[in-house]
């Protein structure tokens, strides 16, 4: 990305005495002068809740900000195995609730009046989908962008068999991520782990869904068995 076209702000969201969440905010130089309300995308990186960071996804978030002419907040949620489920979900919920408050946005250099949505890739897409469901009674997010999200922790669809040996994600890698993230008391049918199992979807924000063809998560992204 051409770094002359946007500015970044490093910040730390202090949700409680025990929880601080780093984030990086990207603001295109011209987004406040564009027609319509300014937009904020809160982004969760992929990596099986085990790897990845705001650094690994710097170019992704910078590109999203520039191409959409919108602000992007990249969230550094806690990773496993040091922080198992539901730590990543708690961080995702906390960061979105914090950024939905106009006073908090203003404190990190964002406008008070914005349309706010969420997005993420792979495991981050799962977090974004979960956030939309978990916050629906309290907040109305404007949109969600889910990039090849895993949405069924059972990993039982046909595409998990078709692409068990890659080309990128393998069965062994997915199993390792799962064991890192889940405790022995976790159930794969918990909707916070498998958001495809939430019972109601009509009240969800508009969604842009990006599905990869040669991907173990292909079928579950499309709601197929």
């Amino acid at each position: 990305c051409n770094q002359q076209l946007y500015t970044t702000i490093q910040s730390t969201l202090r949700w409680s005495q025990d929880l601080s969440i780093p984030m990086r905010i990207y603001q295109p130089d011209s987004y406040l002068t564009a027609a319509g309300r300014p937009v904020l995308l809160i982004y969760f990186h992929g990596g099986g809740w085990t790897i990845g960071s705001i650094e690994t996804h710097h170019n992704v978030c910078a590109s999203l900000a520039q191409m959409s002419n919108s602000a992007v907040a990249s969230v550094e949620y806690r990773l496993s195995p040091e922080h198992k489920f539901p730590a990543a979900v708690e961080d995702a919920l906390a960061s979105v609730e914090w950024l939905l408050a106009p006073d908090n946005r203003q404190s990190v250099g964002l406008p008070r009046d914005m349309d706010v949505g969420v997005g993420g890739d792979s495991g981050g897409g799962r977090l974004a989908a979960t956030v939309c469901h978990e916050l629906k009674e309290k907040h109305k997010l404007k949109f969600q962008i889910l990039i090849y999200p895993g949405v069924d922790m059972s990993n039982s669809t046909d595409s998990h068999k078709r692409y068990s040996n890659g080309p990128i994600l393998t069965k062994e890698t997915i199993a390792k991520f799962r064991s890192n993230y889940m405790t022995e008391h976790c159930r794969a049918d918990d909707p916070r782990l498998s958001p495809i199992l939430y019972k109601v979807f009509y009240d969800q924000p508009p969604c842009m869904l990006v599905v990869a063809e040669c991907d173990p998560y292909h079928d579950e992204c499309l709601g197929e068995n």
Side-chain angles (χ1 to χ4, degrees):
C1 286
N2 183 342
Q3 296 202 15
Q4 300 302 311
L5 300 180
Y6 64 89
T7 57
T8 61
I9 299 172
Q10 297 290 136
S11 186
T12 300
L13 180 166
R14 302 197 183 281
W15 182 250
S16 68
Q17 183 176 356
D18 301 321
L19 179 57
S20 297
I21 306 171
M23 60 183 174
R24 179 178 294 165
I25 299 171
Y26 301 79
Q27 297 189 76
D29 292 345
S30 61
Y31 87 109
L32 292 179
T33 59
R37 286 160 56 90
V39 172
L40 171 64
L41 165 63
I42 304 171
Y43 194 86
F44 305 106
H45 66 79
W49 318 282
T50 301
I51 59 175
S53 67
I54 57 178
E55 295 298 339
T56 62
H57 284 61
H58 169 74
N59 287 341
V60 172
C61 291
S63 296
L64 284 170
Q66 287 185 202
M67 291 188 290
S68 66
N69 202 30
S70 304
V72 176
S74 181
V75 178
E76 185 95 321
Y77 57 88
R78 288 172 290 172
L79 298 177
S80 61
E82 293 83 4
H83 304 284
K84 291 183 175 287
F85 174 83
V89 172
E90 291 172 347
D91 290 4
L93 290 169
S95 62
V96 172
E97 288 204 83
W98 194 89
L99 284 164
L100 280 168
D103 287 348
N104 292 337
R105 287 200 301 272
Q106 188 175 41
S107 73
V108 292
L110 292 167
R112 293 179 58 84
D113 188 23
M114 302 186 83
D115 287 338
V116 181
V118 295
D121 61 285
S122 194
R126 191 186 308 241
L127 291 174
T130 298
V131 162
C132 288
H133 283 277
E134 291 293 313
L135 294 183
K136 66 180 182 180
E137 300 298 334
K138 298 170 64 176
H139 303 287
K140 293 299 182 184
L141 292 161
K142 293 295 186 178
F143 61 88
Q144 53 184 321
I145 301 173
L146 309 181
I147 304 171
Y148 41 81
V151 292
D152 183 354
M153 193 62 90
S154 72
N155 300 332
S156 59
T157 60
D158 287 344
S159 58
H160 278 275
K161 302 180 183 71
R162 291 198 305 274
Y163 304 114
S164 61
N165 295 318
I168 298 175
L169 273 179
T170 66
K171 179 180 179 180
E172 290 75 19
T173 301
I174 291 173
K176 181 65 174 177
F177 287 156
R178 176 181 166 131
S179 67
N180 282 345
Y181 187 48
M182 295 175 68
T183 69
E184 61 183 12
H185 304 295
C186 289
R187 293 175 54 94
D189 61 358
D190 184 330
R192 295 172 300 167
L193 286 166
S194 299
I196 195 70
L197 299 180
Y198 282 103
K199 297 186 181 301
V200 176
F201 286 84
Y202 68 83
D203 54 1
Q204 290 299 286
C207 176
M208 184 178 81
L209 177 64
V210 179
V211 182
E213 179 64 33
C214 300
D215 181 9
Y217 296 132
H218 174 275
D219 290 0
E220 64 196 71
C221 284
L222 299 177
E224 299 174 352
N225 295 323

